Amino acid sequence: MSASLVLRRRLAGELRALRLQAGLSQEAVAEYLDASAYKIVRIENAQSSIGISDLRQLLALYKVDAETRDRLIDLGRNARKRGGWWSSYRDVLPGPYVQLEAEASLIRNYQPSIVPGLLQTAEYTRAVILASNHTITPEEIDRRITVRMKRQERLRDTEAPLELHALVDEAALHRPGGDGEAMTAQLEALIDAATLPSVDLRILPYVAGIHAGIGYPYVILTFPEPADPDVVFCEGHAGERYFHDAQEVAGFRADFLSTAKVSLDRDASVTLIKRTIREIRT
């Protein structure tokens, strides 16, 4: 079983709710555990796991019933388990995004400038990596490409495919990722992806003008269990940012819906991609 950041988030949310219900501050809980308040903050933000011994003490402090105690201890044990295919690639994965994506059931991705990672070809990925890091070694490039191709396998899973709703700005179709042949192959891959039942690909045309999400890419991750709230992921030169607050996440969802309304439908999007391919070839 994989290390589950999602389960850790679920446990953190429940522990925070129990603490508030008990009317205790993080400082009071830290004193009870003979630990620092910083440790409690990290546990409640799912930034670190909690040991089973500490978990038992907290549940006793919060005076939970036996059924809740057993359920949360079981959750705590599962949240601490390690594994998953991504474990072998930790050296090229700067943050927890891939693990979150691996446990998500729905990804909503807006991309204003490049093709979304889950829809990239290997050569296009290579061009993206090289553009952002001129000193990277060929070995690390290959490992990063392997990770990206591995992530894409879930889109074609016949039993439980990852559902992807991708909004891609028309600019991404015209910005070359490699030479003309590589870019043509990338656009053809987009057309192929659009035929998958798990993929809803929509192009945001130039004529849509200024819109809600303009200027910044983001990913909204939704998980199969209602107890696990959505997470928003943003990536830029300043690094990775994650939004967990319900109100902030709702804002991103509203932006995505607004942008989707001014995007082309699937058939019109494919027609635009085909036209772009013809332009490249002429």
Side-chain angles (χ1 to χ4, degrees):
M1 186 172 182
S2 67
S4 179
L5 179 57
V6 171
L7 294 184
R8 196 165 78 209
R9 290 178 64 239
R10 189 187 306 172
L11 179 61
E14 296 215 36
L15 290 178
R16 182 168 56 251
L18 287 171
R19 176 180 60 77
L20 294 174
Q21 183 179 330
L24 295 171
S25 67
Q26 291 176 325
E27 290 75 15
V29 171
E31 184 177 354
Y32 179 80
L33 289 182
D34 193 21
S36 68
Y38 179 66
K39 175 179 178 178
I40 306 304
V41 170
R42 287 183 58 82
I43 289 172
E44 291 191 355
N45 288 337
Q47 293 173 306
S48 63
S49 58
I50 181 171
I52 300 302
S53 177
D54 283 347
L55 179 57
R56 287 183 184 277
Q57 291 186 66
L58 283 188
L59 297 178
L61 175 64
Y62 299 152
K63 296 181 172 58
V64 302
D65 58 70
E67 181 180 351
T68 301
R69 180 198 62 214
D70 293 345
R71 178 177 61 82
L72 291 182
I73 288 175
D74 185 58
L75 179 58
R77 287 197 178 103
N78 286 328
R80 291 175 61 83
K81 291 181 179 178
R82 299 188 175 278
W85 65 264
W86 55 84
S87 299
S88 301
Y89 297 92
R90 288 185 181 135
D91 57 314
V92 295
L93 297 175
Y97 176 78
V98 170
Q99 184 179 338
L100 285 169
E101 183 187 84
E103 299 186 43
S105 57
L106 168 63
I107 296 289
R108 281 167 284 189
N109 187 189
Y110 168 66
Q111 276 290 351
S113 56
I114 63 173
V115 172
L118 285 172
L119 301 178
Q120 292 179 6
T121 64
E123 286 308 306
Y124 186 94
T125 297
R126 187 180 302 277
V128 171
I129 294 172
L130 285 170
S132 61
N133 191 334
H134 299 292
T135 62
I136 191 170
T137 66
E139 292 76 17
E140 184 173 345
I141 292 174
D142 289 342
R143 285 175 62 74
R144 291 192 180 202
I145 291 173
T146 298
V147 169
R148 191 150 301 182
M149 297 303 105
K150 182 72 175 175
R151 288 167 52 203
Q152 295 177 9
E153 292 178 5
R154 288 194 61 209
L155 297 176
R156 299 176 185 272
D157 190 320
T158 56
E159 295 183 1
L162 173 65
E163 187 177 351
L164 171 65
H165 295 184
L167 304 180
V168 184
D169 199 284
E170 184 178 350
L173 306 182
H174 298 282
R175 181 171 290 106
D179 58 22
E181 183 177 345
M183 192 60 193
T184 297
Q186 174 61 81
L187 295 180
E188 289 174 339
L190 286 180
I191 294 173
D192 178 62
T195 66
L196 295 175
S198 60
V199 175
D200 183 10
L201 172 64
R202 296 172 183 263
I203 304 300
L204 181 67
Y206 290 138
V207 295
I210 304 298
H211 57 89
I214 196 165
Y216 59 93
Y218 58 89
V219 178
I220 306 171
L221 302 103
T222 298
F223 305 94
E225 294 295 329
D228 301 321
D230 288 359
V231 179
V232 173
F233 166 73
C234 298
E235 183 179 25
H237 288 297
E240 298 183 347
R241 293 189 66 193
Y242 295 86
F243 297 88
H244 306 271
D245 178 78
Q247 188 171 352
E248 291 177 328
V249 172
F252 280 99
R253 282 198 297 261
D255 282 355
F256 192 87
L257 179 60
S258 176
T259 305
K261 287 180 178 179
V262 295
S263 298
L264 301 175
D265 63 24
R266 187 184 306 218
D267 290 342
S269 295
V270 168
T271 297
L272 179 56
I273 296 170
K274 289 180 177 178
R275 189 175 72 204
T276 306
I277 292 175
R278 290 195 297 269
E279 292 172 357
I280 293 175
R281 287 174 171 167
T282 57

